[in-house]
Amino acid sequence: MPQENTNNSATLKNFLNHEGLENYFYKNYIIFFLLVFVVNIFLVKQLRIQEKQIFFILLSFSIFFLTISILQNIIHFSKIYNVSKYITDMDNCTYFQFLPFAVNGKRNYEILPFLIGYILTLGIYKNKFILINTTFFLACFLTYSKNLWIAIIFINIISFFLYDKINILKFFIFKIIILIFAIISLNFVFETTDKKCNPNIKNYTIIKIFSLIGISQNETINSIKKDSLKKMDSFRIKVSTDNEEEFLNKVNYLLDSTAPRLEIYKESIKKISKKILLGYGSNNFKLSSNNSSNSESEPLKILLDLGVIGLLVWIYLYFQLLKSCKTKWSLLLILSIMSLSTFNIYSWFLPTYFIVTSIIFFEKNERHKSIL
């Protein structure tokens, strides 16, 4: 018999305060998200939003959250009246993440504004937009979200075929140089100011990059990674043990999610093979590898919930979106959401529906042909 999930949302617990209602809403979340999707379609249609308006609305949205992220980190590291703990779950002294709010378990949603801002300003070679694009590139990297890193790499590869190849390559190298300089500068600042709040960002970055590559058999890489793990003194309070090897293993587990994710994917695929056609139903199963119905991948989640039929519908919808794209930024935006969805679940995040809805109606109202 399939296992039925119960509500684990703090928001629903606070608002509803009734176990039956909480579980009902949690179980049928997709229905309510689809209703929001329909409402968004109606609003965008009534407002008759044009391309330029959508571009600047989304860019302003991204810059707003970028500004909040900068202010949050200034407040956190300057310890202004210890305000940070009341407005964020941020723990950047140990687990560094450049995010607007750093709410536990919500990083994969908080990264979206940075990705949107980066895509919107990509390929615009004016001084103001080059500066904004470089800033968003830094913000994307400093979230230390491997999913976002993969999306940025993917988007830059695609943009190489959409924009001027020489300029894309030239500015990408420029952004990498600025990024290296930024990490060295941040590392210097953290080491020379408050040593009690030093995330050791240089070694932190090395560990994260190697965890993305996922090479565990190479002795040289393992040696460099191990040396970096030893220098992560900020974790010694969080990981209380006198055994150095145990400390290294625990810190590596906290900073490298690749192995646990692979276990989730393997179990999901195994489970899918048992009910491949129609799936188990919405949230009507539980994975033992993470004790939830979260497969950490949109395609896998759809296959588990709705089977191959559901996945084909999902692919068809995205295909129709891509086919109707008439601007480079809208095409890249849809592709980026698809990329992020490969390694996480974005149908749970309401703003995704607003973004996609806006693009749908802008593209339908445009007279020129699709760029594909």
Side-chain angles (χ1 to χ4, degrees), residues 8 31 132 134 162 164 179 182 195 218 237 274 302 331 343 370:
N8 61 0
I31 296 170
I132 295 171
T134 304
L162 294 177
D164 181 82
L179 174 63
K195 291 190 176 181
N218 188 292
I237 297 172
K274 295 176 182 177
I302 292 169
L331 175 66
F343 302 104
S370 167

Side-chain angles (χ1 to χ4, degrees), residues 95-350:
Y95 196 87
F96 188 89
Q97 300 173 105
F98 184 79
L99 296 168
F101 304 105
V103 177
N104 283 331
K106 299 295 182 288
R107 180 178 67 174
N108 287 299
Y109 307 141
E110 293 190 38
I111 63 177
L112 267 179
F114 301 157
L115 181 60
I116 292 168
Y118 181 74
I119 288 168
L120 291 173
T121 52
L122 192 63
I124 304 177
Y125 306 114
K126 295 179 182 177
N127 289 339
K128 181 175 74 171
F129 287 107
I130 290 170
L131 175 63
I132 295 171
N133 183 256
T134 304
T135 306
F136 276 119
F137 179 80
L138 292 174
C140 287
F141 186 89
L142 293 174
T143 62
Y144 287 96
S145 163
K146 289 181 287 185
N147 193 7
L148 182 53
W149 288 359
I150 292 168
I152 289 292
I153 293 167
F154 174 66
I155 289 304
N156 276 280
I157 292 169
I158 298 297
S159 64
F160 189 74
F161 299 99
L162 294 177
Y163 299 104
D164 181 82
K165 293 178 174 59
I166 301 298
N167 278 327
I168 284 291
L169 188 59
K170 182 174 71 176
F171 282 110
F172 186 73
I173 293 169
F174 167 75
K175 285 178 278 195
I176 293 292
I177 293 168
I178 295 294
L179 174 63
I180 293 168
F181 177 76
I183 289 169
I184 293 169
S185 301
L186 283 171
N187 195 68
F188 175 77
V189 169
F190 289 137
E191 285 189 345
T192 55
T193 50
D194 186 358
K195 291 190 176 181
K196 290 181 180 179
C197 186
N198 178 13
N200 203 325
I201 204 159
K202 184 184 76 175
N203 290 294
Y204 186 85
T205 303
I206 291 168
I207 295 164
K208 284 287 189 178
I209 289 172
F210 285 161
S211 71
L212 174 64
I213 298 169
I215 299 172
S216 57
Q217 306 303 319
N218 188 292
E219 288 184 15
T220 305
I221 288 177
N222 282 338
S223 176
I224 296 169
K225 187 178 179 182
K226 192 170 184 178
D227 287 341
S228 295
L229 286 167
K230 286 178 182 177
K231 295 172 184 175
M232 297 304 295
D233 293 330
S234 55
F235 279 85
R236 294 198 179 272
I237 297 172
K238 190 179 285 288
V239 179
S240 54
T241 177
D242 295 326
N243 187 309
E244 188 66 11
E245 199 61 35
E246 187 181 350
F247 171 77
L248 296 178
N249 289 334
K250 285 186 175 181
V251 175
N252 184 58
Y253 177 79
L254 289 170
L255 296 181
D256 186 353
S257 62
T258 303
R261 274 180 177 268
L262 288 174
E263 288 302 313
I264 293 168
Y265 296 154
K266 285 176 186 176
E267 187 187 351
S268 297
I269 292 167
K270 190 176 178 181
K271 220 170 181 60
I272 288 163
S273 65
K274 295 176 182 177
K275 288 196 174 186
I276 194 164
L277 189 62
L278 296 172
Y280 293 85
S282 178
N283 285 327
N284 206 30
F285 62 92
K286 189 173 283 188
L287 300 170
S288 59
S289 47
N290 62 359
N291 196 34
S292 76
S293 62
N294 184 1
S295 61
E296 300 288 353
S297 168
E298 189 83 62
L300 291 178
K301 174 67 173 164
I302 292 169
L303 281 167
L304 285 162
D305 280 351
L306 304 170
V308 171
I309 293 172
L311 184 66
L312 289 173
V313 172
W314 184 77
I315 292 169
Y316 174 77
L317 289 172
Y318 267 105
F319 175 73
Q320 291 300 317
L321 273 174
L322 291 170
K323 200 171 74 168
S324 66
C325 284
K326 296 167 186 174
T327 59
K328 293 171 184 178
W329 64 262
S330 63
L331 175 66
L332 290 174
L333 203 51
I334 297 296
L335 287 172
S336 70
I337 292 173
M338 290 180 71
S339 173
L340 288 174
S341 298
T342 305
F343 302 104
N344 215 284
I345 300 172
Y346 279 84
S347 61
W348 291 350
F349 188 49
L350 290 176

